[in-house]
Amino acid sequence: MTARIIDGKARAERLVADVGAAVAARVAAGGSRPGLAVVLVGDHPASQVYVRNKRRTTEAAGMRSFAHDLPAATSQQELLARVDRLNADPAVNGILVQLPLPKHIDEEAVTERIAPLKDVDGFHPYNIGRLVLKRPTLRPCTPYGCMTLLKDTGEDLVGKHAVVIGQSNIVGRPMALELLMARCTVTVCHSATRDLPGLVRQGDIVVAGVGRAGFVRGDWIKPGAIVIDVGINRTAEGKLTGDVDFAAAREIAGWITPVPGGVGPMTIATLLANTLRAAELQDGTA
Ligand code: GUN
């Protein structure tokens, strides 16, 4: 069996176009143009690329993009003061502080300082807590984007065994909560998991978010499974590649996301959908 490719790039383009149309309708009806502030501290090379793409796509959807590029030596106090200003600015509906932050800054303190209804990353304990309770408000972009791709396959997700590899706050944990909310049976694997290949082989759905190129082998995949690869790794030759051995897995899986062109573009498109929703939540039209 050769897997069908889940075209995240095309799906993301549709979502950005839909958000752009909704923004245009909102503005035509006299509403404000949603604004997204993206804060980048320091010069982490991968973060610079991600942030550039986020800002470009924000403008493509007809939203206002506010760039806050701060030096690596910015103190935690200065960054928190910047977040306070953005929280108080009515033109800013969404705030994203790109992670990772320099080591001298406590990421949790910064995440928790963002007003929950402007937290378009969905990382604030309020938003994570809402997701735990099956009453999500703003949902973490990468897992939410993965759910859009899973639903687009048209497969019935109810009762499927989903195996999530990785337990990060950004991907693994919220992904497990999303899958549980979709009524999957969920197994979360991490570095202390015993017999990882054996568990992955049970997965009707496999979501890999470990950050290691080719970590998930083709022969770990159950025939016909849906494989969602969240990894974005750069090889020694400078090529982008996922956490899954794509060439081997695609011969066994039923569906698979490519890297690049899979989950990555969906994360950014979902961020914009979240920003529009944040604007609606703030003016009470959500
Ligand atoms: N770094 C890697 N992924 C993300 C993300 O989704 N949001 C933020 N803020 N930082 C990240």
Side-chain angles (χ1 to χ4, degrees):
M1 179 178 209
T2 300
R4 279 172 281 186
I5 304 294
I6 302 175
D7 188 344
K9 184 166 178 284
R11 183 64 185 87
E13 282 167 7
R14 284 209 322 272
L15 182 53
V16 172
D18 290 347
V19 171
V23 166
R26 174 184 163 89
V27 172
S32 67
R33 190 173 290 282
L36 173 62
V38 175
V39 181
L40 176 64
V41 184
D43 42 24
H44 189 278
S47 290
Q48 285 175 323
V49 176
Y50 299 147
V51 163
R52 197 181 317 131
N53 286 336
K54 286 172 185 175
R55 290 173 179 158
R56 190 189 308 136
T57 317
T58 303
E59 284 167 8
M63 298 194 191
R64 299 179 72 186
S65 170
F66 303 102
H68 293 260
D69 290 335
L70 307 177
T74 302
S75 71
Q76 178 165 323
Q77 201 186 357
E78 285 168 322
L79 181 55
L80 292 174
R82 182 72 63 131
V83 170
D84 288 342
R85 265 175 46 205
L86 296 172
N87 281 339
D89 184 345
V92 173
N93 300 107
I95 302 169
L96 180 146
V97 178
Q98 185 67 25
L99 304 177
L101 288 168
K103 282 195 196 57
H104 64 276
I105 298 178
D106 176 0
E107 288 184 353
E108 266 173 38
V110 175
T111 300
E112 294 191 18
R113 192 70 157 240
I114 296 171
L117 294 188
K118 292 193 176 186
D119 168 39
V120 286
D121 260 327
F123 294 166
H124 190 285
Y126 172 84
N127 285 312
I128 295 291
R130 297 280 303 193
L131 185 59
V132 170
L133 298 172
K134 299 174 285 183
R135 296 180 63 197
T137 303
L138 291 167
R139 299 156 75 162
C141 302
T142 299
Y144 191 16
C146 290
M147 292 314 295
T148 304
L149 295 178
L150 282 171
K151 287 184 179 148
D152 275 3
T153 64
E155 304 264 354
D156 185 7
L157 305 182
V158 176
K160 281 200 170 19
H161 186 181
V163 177
V164 178
I165 314 171
Q167 58 153 352
S168 70
N169 291 342
I170 295 181
V171 179
R173 283 171 188 252
M175 188 74 230
L177 294 168
E178 287 281 358
L179 289 160
L180 202 50
M181 205 164 57
R183 309 201 65 234
C184 295
T185 299
V186 183
T187 300
V188 183
C189 304
H190 46 78
S191 56
T193 294
R194 295 184 196 155
D195 189 21
L196 179 63
L199 284 168
V200 176
R201 279 189 194 107
Q202 294 177 30
D204 304 307
I205 297 170
V206 176
V207 181
V210 276
R212 285 168 66 177
F215 179 76
V216 177
R217 322 299 299 224
D219 67 359
W220 297 7
I221 301 299
K222 178 176 175 175
I226 310 176
V227 178
I228 306 288
D229 190 346
V230 182
I232 303 179
N233 311 291
R234 209 168 274 281
T235 63
E237 301 82 48
K239 245 185 71 189
L240 283 185
T241 185
D243 288 348
V244 178
D245 178 348
F246 180 84
R250 77 175 295 185
E251 298 308 321
I252 301 162
W255 297 87
I256 190 166
T257 60
V259 178
V263 173
M266 279 307 290
T267 295
I268 300 184
T270 304
L271 170 68
L272 302 186
N274 276 356
T275 303
L276 174 60
R277 178 156 165 77
E280 292 169 349
L281 287 166
Q282 287 154 38
D283 56 33
T285 55

